[in-house]
Amino acid sequence: MEEQRRHIRLVDDERCHLRLGDLYYLATIKNISLSGALLHFYTPPERFQIGDNCQISLDGGNLYNYNCEVVRVETSNVAMKFIGIHSLKEVEH
């Protein structure tokens, strides 16, 4: 199988919060790139499906939320494609 990644992925261990509809989940970022991230869940959500849209906010005091699309669902890992980014200050106004 040919490698399809276009961006370098960085290994990360940062916690993040993921919002899917009205539900929030705590996860750890296993790796991240300019185009997406792989999240690890200790208690995997049951309702993730490919194509779902959600938002990720990083725990490290980051001022941005990332709009994402679920592209792969594994047992405890979910791969996300970034489809937008916005500043939390933009949301507050």
Side-chain angles (χ1 to χ4, degrees):
M1 179 180 223
E2 182 180 327
E3 176 67 46
Q4 295 185 6
R5 293 182 180 158
R6 294 187 178 102
H7 299 99
I8 294 172
R9 293 198 169 262
L10 302 174
V11 175
D12 198 357
D13 241 352
E14 187 170 357
R15 290 186 326 169
C16 68
H17 294 92
L18 182 135
R19 186 181 79 166
L20 177 63
D22 293 336
L23 301 174
Y24 288 84
Y25 302 96
L26 182 63
T28 301
I29 299 173
K30 289 186 72 168
N31 63 54
I32 191 166
S33 75
L34 292 174
S35 61
L38 180 63
L39 306 183
H40 174 76
F41 295 87
Y42 293 101
T43 306
E46 295 179 13
R47 60 179 274 202
F48 273 127
Q49 295 181 8
I50 293 174
D52 283 347
N53 288 318
C54 54
Q55 291 80 39
I56 297 173
S57 58
L58 304 181
D59 239 15
N62 206 319
L63 298 176
Y64 297 97
N65 274 348
Y66 300 87
N67 294 326
C68 304
E69 178 183 341
V70 175
V71 293
R72 187 175 72 244
V73 178
E74 300 170 349
T75 304
S76 295
N77 299 323
V78 177
M80 304 288 179
K81 176 175 74 171
F82 296 145
I83 55 176
I85 183 173
H86 61 271
S87 165
L88 294 180
K89 289 184 178 187
E90 293 173 9
V91 174
E92 293 174 0
H93 296 295

